[in-house]
Amino acid sequence: DRLSPRVIVLDPNNPEVVYAGTYEMGVHKSTDGGTHWQAVNNGLTWLAVRALAITPGALYAGTDGGGVFRSTNGGAEWREINRGLIDKTVRALVVDPRNPRVLYAGTWHGVYKSTDGGDNWSADPKGLYDVDVVALSIDPSNSSVLYAATNPRGVWRSEDAGMTWKPGVQP
């Protein structure tokens, strides 16, 4: 079968290591810059992967119905980390570039935040809640500023690390 990735991330410590998230075949890993691939799905009980995020110590997979999984050994083993994540349809993951323990997950019903490397998640009903979030991005120079692409309500912006959101200029 051909690999049909939905998302790709590079290992920040080794650009020859590439991870691809697929919709039906889980996560695949290449250690030679994408020439050869192998499945790395041990413990990944949900193989519809829509989002990947990587830090120097962890790889995260957001799945379409199974929530978030974390691997601390390059994808060799995965563990589900969904405490507090009520909506398990994760469409986007992003890591704070200044603090790799802070993650955001975009779901069908808004943005969830973790401040402990994904062990616990929370959503603020005053924030971007009950909205289909399809993509997330963090300002690399100011990690308190986040952007969320939503369907069908356009792009939203937070200036306080996801506590409150306001609509931005629509593309």
Side-chain angles (χ1 to χ4, degrees), residues 37-85:
W37 294 90
Q38 67 179 24
V40 288
N41 295 323
N42 185 28
L44 188 65
T45 58
W46 206 272
L47 299 181
V49 177
R50 285 193 178 253
L52 291 173
I54 193 167
T55 67
L59 176 64
Y60 298 90
T63 66
D64 191 9
V68 179
F69 292 79
R70 177 178 57 214
S71 174
T72 57
N73 55 11
E77 296 174 313
W78 293 91
R79 185 171 69 89
E80 183 179 323
I81 52 169
N82 290 326
R83 185 178 304 131
L85 189 69

Side-chain angles (χ1 to χ4, degrees), residues 7 21 26-27 30 43 59 62 64 71 77 79 90-91 95 98 109-110 114 116 129 147 149 151 153 158 161 163 168:
V7 60
V27 177
S30 172
L59 176 64
D64 191 9
S71 174
E77 296 174 313
R79 185 171 69 89
V90 178
R91 297 172 171 263
V95 178
R98 294 176 185 231
H109 293 100
S114 173
D116 58 9
Y129 189 72
Y147 293 89
N151 182 25
R153 293 172 47 191
S158 173
M163 295 294 293

Side-chain angles (χ1 to χ4, degrees), residues 8-9 22 32 36 56 60 86 103 121 125 128 135 139 164 168 171:
I8 294 176
V9 296
T22 69
D32 58 9
H36 300 94
Y60 298 90
I86 297 166
L103 294 98
W121 296 90
L128 194 57
D139 182 336
T164 60

Side-chain angles (χ1 to χ4, degrees), residues 63-153:
T63 66
D64 191 9
V68 179
F69 292 79
R70 177 178 57 214
S71 174
T72 57
N73 55 11
E77 296 174 313
W78 293 91
R79 185 171 69 89
E80 183 179 323
I81 52 169
N82 290 326
R83 185 178 304 131
L85 189 69
I86 297 166
D87 183 352
K88 293 185 180 178
T89 302
V90 178
R91 297 172 171 263
L93 286 172
V94 68
V95 178
D96 184 328
R98 294 176 185 231
N99 183 352
R101 305 260 316 140
V102 176
L103 294 98
Y104 299 87
T107 73
W108 264 356
H109 293 100
V111 176
Y112 287 79
K113 181 178 183 179
S114 173
T115 58
D116 58 9
D119 288 333
N120 296 283
W121 296 90
S122 62
D124 189 341
K126 298 184 303 289
L128 194 57
Y129 189 72
D130 210 18
V131 174
D132 182 10
V133 177
V134 296
L136 291 168
S137 187
I138 295 179
D139 182 336
S141 63
N142 180 357
S143 59
S144 292
V145 177
L146 286 92
Y147 293 89
T150 68
N151 182 25
R153 293 172 47 191

